Each structure stands twice: as C-alpha cells, then as structure tokens.
Amino acid sequence: MRTVAGRTDHVVVVGAGLAGLSAALHLLGAGRRVTVVERDAGPGGLAGRITLGGFRFDTGPTVLTMPDIADEAFAAVGERLADRVELIALQPAYRACFADGSALDVHTGADAMEAEVRRFAGAREAAGYRRLRSWLERVYRAQMRRFIDANFDSPLGLVNADLARLAALGGFGRWQHRVDRHLRDERLRRVFTFQALYAGVAPARALAAYAVIAYMDTVAGVYFPRGGMHALPEAMAAAAGRAGADLRYGHEVTSLERRGQRVTAVVTTGGRIPCDALVLTPDLPVAFRLLGRAPRRPVPLRYSPSAVVLHAGTDRTWPQLAHHTLSFGAAWRTTFDELTRSGRVMSDPSLLITRPTSHDPSLAPPGRHVHYVLAPCPNTGTGPGAGQWPGLAPRYRDGLLRELDRRGLAGMAESIEREHLVTPADWQARGHSAGTPFSLAHTFTQTGPFRPRNLPRGTDNAVLAGCGTTPGVGIPTVLLSGKLAASRITGPPARYRSRPAAQPPGGDGGRP
C-alpha cells in the first residue's frame, strides 16, 4: 500500500464530519499531532443538528448500522463508543408499509424475521428468506476485509482469493436477480433491494456485491444513539479533543500553500496553519479545487439521486409508525427510472419516515414529536436545477403532505408546529455537487479501485476521505474512509490496545 512520503508529524484534517473525525482519531492513535478545521460552529458536517422551538432535528443520516466501525475509531485513542454514546438496538429495524395496505416488520434476528415473513407471505417465502440471509452473510464476509476496509493502489489489488469467492457467490451479477432467486413476493423483494437508492443505481443494474448494504440493514442490526444521530460526531469530537486534537470550529479553508508537490500550510478564515500532511473531507470538486487539479477520467463522474427532506415538529404522532418506516408506493421500477434517467420527481414516491422521539422524547418539547420524511428525487444534473427548487419546493412540500395524509398519516399538515425543508438546492449550497448528499453513484466504473482514489495525484502529502472516495456512501463506509485515509499517512494500523487517553492540561477535554 502506498503511503505519504516524508515527515507526517502534524496533520491538518479539513472537515469535522464523520470522515474527518474518524481520520483524526486514527491519526491520534498512531501518535500524530492533529488539527481539525471545520467551517461550521461545531462538529458533525452532514450529520448536523438544528433546533427550532425546542425541536431538535438531525440534518443528515438517521440510520446507524455497523457501530463496531465507530467503536474502532474510539479504540484508537483508548476509548469505547459505549462509554460516550448510548446505543439502542431498534426492533424492528424498519416497518415496511405497502400500497396494498399490508405491513411487515423487518427484524434483524433470523428467527424473528423468518416468523414474520411466514406470517406475511407464507412458508415458501420464509424458507427463501433464510437462503437469502445466508447468501448476504457470505457476500459480506467475502468483501469486508479485502474490498471495503481496504486501500487500493491499482485494479490489480482486486486479484485475491476473496475475489474468486465473491464471483462464485454471484457478486458481479445483478442485485435484483440474486434477490429474485430467493424471493417471489414483490413486496419482500423491495425490502432487500431498496438500499440501492443509497448506491445511486437501480437494483436491476446494480452489482450484486452491493447487496452488502442490505446485509448491514437487515442482518447486522440498526441502532439509534440516544440524543439523536448528532450524538455520534459530538462524542467523536469530544474523544479527539481529550486525546489532544486541536479542534478549530468556524474556520473555513480558503487556500493551501505549497512547496513543489507538498502542501505546507492550510489557510483559513482564522489564519494560517502549517502542516506536514493533510486530510481533505469536503465534496470532491471542493477538494480538487483546493488542490488545484482534478483527476483525469475517461468518462465524467456520475452522481447519485438526491433527496428532499421534511423535518417536522408536530403536536401529535401516529401509532402505526415505527422508529423507521418505509412507505412504498405502488410503482417501483418506474421510480428508479424517474430518479436516475428521466429526471422527474417521483410520481408515486417511496418514502423513509423516521420518528426519533419514539426512543428519545427529549428531542421534542413535552407531548410533541419529531418526524423526518425523506423523499428521494433527481439530482440537479438530471432533474430540476438548483435555481428551480425555490419555486418548486412549496408545491412539493404540500404534495408530500397530501400523500402522507392519503397513506394514513391524517392531519400531519395541521399538526406541524415547526418545520425545516431541505431540497437539492440546499445540498448544493452546502457544497455538494449535483445537489446530492449521496455523492457519486456506485456504478462499476466508480467502485473499488475505479472510484476516485484517496491518494490524489499531483500532491505528495494530501489524502482524501468522505463518501466521494474509497469505499463509498453511508455511515459505516464514511467512517472507514477516515480510517483508510489515516493509514495512507501512518501505514496500516496495528491492533489497538486498550490504554488510557492522554489528558490535556486543564481538565478532561469536555467529556460529557
């Protein structure tokens, strides 16, 4: 594995999102001095927080899987995730509601889910679920060590025994086809393929290897941090500060100083910071603009669909909602065509509705509730441009609430006391290319060693992290991107041993 050459004693990490904080913790664990620079007033990045009238809304992801990857970052500085964040295992992980009025609770325990599938669709489908679960577990084991938690220097890095195992499992076929081999019920097929939305590719075209996302959602378990998802980056920042990181919030990076092929200092709105190495976590075009060059690629980068998110603080809730509810429309294949090809907003949307107050009422005033409604939509390159969304947003919001009313959440519009609507124009204003927080689609030419590398050409001591580089989109993979970026600077990490964290002068570094 190639690593940054030369001195790397002091590393500046640009961005205090999950990728940047993961990189910082792994760097600190390897003995580096770390300065984290963040333009916002606190940590989190996409996993941010807004407070309106006593309602606390997570502004980014709401589904946490694979918490052991976060725990590994804490372990780098001798801490444990469990000591910083209380995680609640969600049962069910999801409730799936379908256009025909049926509903299925998605359990991550094998026996519980088999019983639920048998109730929902019969014994044949329950047996098919067991076979599918076994296949998902094998696909995960074949990929994790060599393809997901791995740095690539060239496509030759793919050639190993696990590649043969993955091929034998059908990992280079199509996701939809592999699921269809085990399940016949169209509703069940959706439960194990809707995750392709996160990968930015329709299940019928996505590599079956990406069904590993379905493994994370439906087998490994879904968790909720008490205090909301923002509690995770807050805890990571606190652990980094306690381990000696210099955390500088409200400082936006304006330029980089160079000497030849090396970055020698980061210039921010708060001053100049000399550095020996650099980790950049902004969206790829921002990072490449700071570096002064973009990678040469034979075809343009292709971005995932975006999302409209309605954050609603309400005076009531609806008992049929689980913590996470998947509300599927009748349409399915046409939905992916609208999102990725024709560029139309979904005519019959499939929605993710999250109600975090079901497990943490403190996120809202007494007797009130928080609802998060995510509606996938085309990005600004495929669908309406950023300039169109200010006029489109009010109509879209009203139509979304009418649809929710039709699907059984009667009176939601009238129940809203505080709200915040996020559209592709807002994502774009935050620096996300094509107005999408999901970055590059996981097409074959943007997968593994073919994804923009975290060791960019033309700069000897800069490394990239975040969802646009290796290994990809989602909380587990973004956390891994920080770890992989750190290992480009420090070399492969040793197995972390439990040890007391360094105490900075003047107290405990803000431990909550």
Side-chain angles (χ1 to χ4, degrees):
M1 180 187 76
R2 287 184 56 201
T3 57
V4 167
R7 183 174 175 173
T8 61
D9 294 357
H10 179 213
V11 184
V12 172
V13 177
V14 178
L18 294 173
L21 293 169
S22 173
L25 289 168
H26 285 286
L27 288 164
L28 289 161
R32 299 310 192 269
R33 184 163 65 93
V34 176
T35 301
V36 180
V37 181
E38 168 59 50
R39 67 179 177 182
D40 290 339
L46 264 177
R49 159 82 46 82
I50 58 172
T51 300
L52 298 173
F55 294 95
R56 292 188 287 162
F57 301 112
D58 284 317
T59 59
T62 63
V63 180
L64 176 62
T65 61
M66 308 294 288
D68 56 301
I69 296 174
D71 192 44
E72 188 178 6
F74 284 93
V77 294
E79 297 212 25
R80 298 192 316 151
L81 171 63
D83 292 335
R84 290 275 182 181
V85 180
E86 180 187 350
L87 291 184
I88 301 168
L90 298 182
Q91 293 296 347
Y94 297 95
R95 178 164 294 147
C97 299
F98 301 94
D100 64 0
S102 61
L104 170 81
D105 280 351
V106 180
H107 298 281
T108 52
D111 293 342
M113 186 59 180
E114 181 181 0
E116 177 69 354
V117 171
R118 183 178 291 108
R119 175 200 68 79
F120 182 77
R124 183 181 64 185
E125 294 298 273
Y129 158 73
R130 278 287 194 175
R131 293 192 302 272
L132 175 60
R133 182 187 178 97
S134 175
W135 178 76
L136 289 171
E137 290 172 337
R138 286 178 285 150
V139 166
Y140 171 78
R141 289 195 297 270
Q143 289 190 78
M144 188 61 187
R145 188 168 64 91
R146 297 284 191 93
F147 301 117
I148 299 174
D149 189 5
N151 276 312
F152 291 97
D153 292 326
S154 81
L156 293 176
L158 288 170
V159 182
N160 55 58
D162 285 334
L163 180 69
R165 294 188 187 97
L166 187 59
L169 289 167
F172 298 103
R174 297 304 173 200
W175 184 345
Q176 186 72 61
H177 174 68
R178 297 301 303 189
V179 171
D180 290 355
R181 289 182 60 176
H182 300 288
L183 300 172
R184 297 186 183 183
D185 190 294
E186 286 293 336
R187 299 166 300 173
L188 287 175
R189 288 173 172 178
R190 293 189 189 188
V191 169
F192 293 95
T193 59
F194 81 89
Q195 299 88 352
L197 283 169
Y198 307 142
V201 184
R205 300 198 306 274
L207 289 177
Y210 277 109
V212 71
I213 311 173
Y215 166 86
M216 295 176 182
D217 269 1
T218 66
V219 176
V222 175
Y223 298 83
F224 172 69
R226 191 173 298 280
M229 292 294 291
H230 186 63
L232 178 58
E234 282 186 326
M236 293 175 73
R242 187 167 184 258
D246 180 4
L247 302 166
R248 303 189 186 185
Y249 301 121
H251 290 206
E252 184 166 5
V253 175
T254 57
S255 64
L256 306 177
E257 292 183 6
R258 304 172 68 104
R259 182 178 299 122
Q261 296 288 88
R262 294 183 73 85
V263 175
T264 57
V266 175
V267 181
T268 79
T269 51
R272 177 181 178 275
I273 309 170
C275 65
D276 300 313
L278 176 69
V279 177
L280 288 168
T281 70
D283 207 22
L284 288 179
V286 177
F288 291 141
R289 184 169 67 249
L290 288 169
L291 292 171
R293 63 179 301 169
R296 296 187 300 273
R297 295 181 64 88
V299 294
L301 294 173
R302 177 180 162 189
Y303 287 87
S304 294
S306 183
V308 171
V309 180
L310 174 63
H311 302 278
T314 64
D315 63 9
R316 59 166 295 194
T317 190
W318 293 262
Q320 67 267 39
L321 293 176
H323 189 107
H324 295 298
T325 300
L326 296 164
S327 177
F328 291 104
W332 188 238
R333 288 177 175 81
T334 56
T335 290
F336 286 95
D337 183 72
E338 289 170 342
L339 292 174
T340 63
R341 292 186 173 183
S342 67
R344 297 190 299 270
V345 295
M346 287 187 293
S347 55
D348 185 12
S350 290
L351 309 169
L352 171 63
I353 306 165
T354 295
R355 185 182 60 172
T357 41
S358 64
H359 285 88
D360 189 351
S362 72
L363 296 173
R368 301 303 192 260
H369 303 271
V370 168
H371 297 88
Y372 164 110
V373 183
L374 183 148
C377 69
N379 64 45
T380 57
T382 304
Q388 296 174 265
W389 272 103
L392 176 60
R395 300 195 304 276
Y396 191 94
R397 177 258 188 203
D398 292 346
L400 183 60
L401 288 170
R402 285 193 297 272
E403 184 63 24
L404 290 170
D405 192 278
R406 191 183 68 80
R407 295 186 187 188
L409 305 188
M412 177 174 267
E414 293 75 26
S415 76
I416 294 175
E417 295 184 349
R418 294 288 191 279
E419 68 178 279
H420 179 64
L421 186 72
V422 183
T423 74
D426 299 303
W427 300 122
Q428 190 158 311
R430 288 276 298 169
H432 298 288
S433 297
T436 174
F438 303 115
S439 192
L440 301 181
H442 284 269
T443 61
F444 179 78
T445 58
Q446 296 178 167
T447 294
F450 308 112
R451 203 165 179 83
R453 297 193 312 156
N454 61 3
L455 206 58
R457 292 183 177 89
T459 305
D460 292 344
N461 63 338
V463 187
L464 304 179
C467 55
T469 185
T470 305
V473 178
I475 289 180
T477 41
V478 164
L479 290 169
L480 284 174
S481 80
K483 173 190 172 184
L484 296 174
S487 68
R488 288 290 195 183
I489 294 170
T490 66
R495 187 179 296 275
Y496 295 121
R497 298 182 297 275
S498 179
R499 58 180 177 80
Q503 287 279 354
D508 64 0
R511 175 187 280 273

